[in-house]
Amino acid sequence: SAQPPEPSSPAAPADSPGQPAAPEMPPPPPTPTEQPAALLRALVLEGALRRYGHCGGEVATRIDYEMSLIVGKGFCDYFLIVRDIVRRASRVCGRGSAAASIVSYCLGITDVDPVRHNLYFDRFLNPGRKDPPDIDIDFAWDERDGILEELVRAYGSESVARVANHNCFREKSALRETARAFGMPDGEISEFERSLRVDREEALARADDAWRRILALAERIVGFPRHLGAHSGGMIIVPDRVDRYAPVEETGTGIRVISWDKEGAEQAGLVKIDLLGNRSLAVVRDAVASLAARGIRLDVGSWKPIDDEPTVELLSRGDTMGVFYVESPAMRLLQKKTGKGDFEHLVIHSSIIRPAANSFINEYIDRLKGKPWKALHPLLEGLFDESYGILCYQEDVSKAAIALAGFSSAEADSLRKILAKKDADTRLQEHWPAFESGARARGADPATIQAVWDMMRSFSGYSFVKAHSASYAMLSFQSAYLRAHHPAEFMAAVMSNHGGFYSPLAYASEARRMGLSLLPPDVNESSWACRGEGKTIRFGFCMVSSLSASL
């Protein structure tokens, strides 16, 4: 190929007399980094036109910001692969912090508009973040295994593996396995375990030397690794062979497992994709398909259940049995007490109902009903107004640490991560001196510092990032819309997929309460799944005990 001229001998200009025109040099080929970046940007802009109808203004600004971080961090290939995965499914729910990304939204990975709903992208990816983020995807429960098998075929069995779980000994398993090593029969082991539960001191006093030795050894191995398991959804895909990057174990499923858990994979630079099963996605899929078979089509692109007034009213009443994530007694009671069924409040409720923020629910309800409140400190003003001044989401912990104590983004994110660990309370205390001194330096009094810290400590349990809560709330709205407008098709799909908070009998009773007639299975009328139409549900053969769909 032609080479550019040497700097010491510049080529003569094309119009020099007696010289032929210099051939036009072809542009250099794109580097491997530029190729996926250009493809990703083109797909995002195409998706923005589909989602928003334009690529200007705030949409363009947000896309440019996110793309600069994604390209700079080398995550273009990751987004392209996730897009390829979700296109293989009938319906997905992209969740976790990735749902705050407009890039994810435009690619069809997520369904929540991060601009309209003010979702915090920096929780997913920010300039100071050192560890790779991951994207969590829910698939219909009965499609997930098929999608995993399809990925192995598409990318090659040598390139795909699941992430491991390290299962460790706990007190019960440590005692049982140690006793077995000593040759104790299972019946005697079970009897000794029962005596320990009834009265530990008396059981120890009556134990012989052999059992005392067994107990001493068992206590020493608690917390030691016992065996490898497979992570519920964590997958890694590499360009060549997985065993070049991590030790692997063969399994009976055909998909290998690396020997490292998710933390080990992360430390090795392997980016995990979480592919999980969700029964409510199958409920929505089946109900929509049932409607389509009768000529009633819901256009996924234009379907806006969050703007549907009957759906909002149904949620505000807590009339939500069968509706994803808002059907538990606690959640239905919260909906009734607040009387709020709009999307913004449902996002709050989906998170505040979790154990982390649960202790502040009554205060939240009082403030929602009109109780006067103000920010705990002027530095926090405006940060948590949408949740009435109460920390509700994981990223609220980071925001509070940055605003009140002057933490950097990386320090605040490190603090937020600790809260998800089992020993969060102990590890959190290590950050107390820095938090206290930082808040004091910014003028906060001891009582305010303690109040904010206590609210942050309440997150040392299971809590949601706002984007995750918004993703779940969107699926809740899709379910609620179907219940509000097509109750027979919806309840038939709920019972066919055998999922949800309640038993099949409870759903059948709820269907009758909704004014629906239930018809028994019929060899001439029934298919495998239940079928709803009008005011009637015909039970399918899936409701027959001990009957299998397989031959």
Side-chain angles (χ1 to χ4, degrees), residues 112-287:
V112 182
D113 181 352
V115 176
R116 175 179 176 179
H117 301 295
N118 189 31
L119 301 182
Y120 184 58
F121 177 74
D122 283 21
R123 164 64 180 81
F124 174 67
L125 197 61
N126 60 70
R129 181 163 184 168
K130 299 290 192 296
D131 59 306
D134 58 12
I135 298 176
D136 299 338
I137 308 291
D138 279 357
F139 299 90
W141 69 278
D142 53 356
E143 294 180 24
R144 177 176 171 269
D145 288 347
I147 288 169
L148 294 182
E149 292 171 4
E150 198 173 326
L151 289 182
V152 172
R153 287 194 296 269
Y155 291 94
S157 59
E158 302 294 329
S159 301
V160 179
R162 299 182 71 171
V163 176
N165 275 337
H166 289 173
N167 296 320
C168 298
F169 283 105
R170 297 188 179 182
E171 288 186 7
K172 184 175 179 180
S173 59
L175 175 61
R176 181 164 287 273
E177 294 301 321
T178 305
R180 282 176 176 164
F182 274 71
M184 296 292 187
D186 284 348
E188 189 175 339
I189 297 171
S190 299
E191 184 179 343
F192 186 70
E193 284 179 337
R194 281 194 296 271
S195 66
L196 286 173
R197 288 196 299 270
V198 173
D199 190 331
R200 187 177 181 86
E201 290 186 5
E202 182 181 347
L204 293 176
R206 294 171 54 188
D208 58 25
D209 290 341
W211 274 113
R212 288 197 182 93
R213 188 179 175 197
I214 289 169
L215 278 171
L217 289 171
E219 289 171 358
R220 290 173 60 184
I221 67 170
V222 170
F224 279 29
R226 186 182 182 191
H227 58 77
L228 289 181
H231 189 277
S232 57
M235 300 283 295
I236 59 170
I237 300 174
V238 300
D240 37 32
R241 294 174 59 92
V242 174
D243 54 20
R244 289 190 59 199
Y245 305 90
V248 295
E249 302 277 345
E250 298 293 337
T251 70
T253 64
I255 304 177
R256 297 186 298 172
V257 176
I258 65 171
S259 299
W260 300 331
D261 62 6
K262 60 180 183 177
E263 283 81 13
E266 178 183 295
Q267 290 169 11
L270 297 170
V271 185
K272 174 171 63 72
I273 309 169
D274 268 346
L275 310 178
L276 302 158
N278 185 309
R279 288 184 183 269
S280 288
L281 282 169
V283 169
V284 173
R285 177 201 65 198
D286 291 350

Side-chain angles (χ1 to χ4, degrees), residues 261-343:
D261 62 6
K262 60 180 183 177
E263 283 81 13
E266 178 183 295
Q267 290 169 11
L270 297 170
V271 185
K272 174 171 63 72
I273 309 169
D274 268 346
L275 310 178
L276 302 158
N278 185 309
R279 288 184 183 269
S280 288
L281 282 169
V283 169
V284 173
R285 177 201 65 198
D286 291 350
V288 169
S290 177
L291 292 169
R294 295 194 292 110
I296 304 171
R297 298 195 176 277
L298 290 175
D299 181 12
V300 176
S302 60
W303 188 20
K304 302 290 184 185
I306 65 174
D307 297 324
D308 181 67
E309 192 57 37
T311 304
V312 172
E313 290 177 3
L314 180 142
L315 287 163
S316 69
R317 299 192 305 268
D319 194 14
T320 52
M321 273 189 70
V323 175
F324 174 69
Y325 212 76
V326 291
E327 63 169 335
S328 70
M331 194 66 183
R332 287 191 289 140
L333 183 60
L334 178 59
Q335 291 300 113
K336 289 178 183 177
K337 283 184 175 181
T338 61
K340 296 288 187 179
D342 59 280
F343 184 79

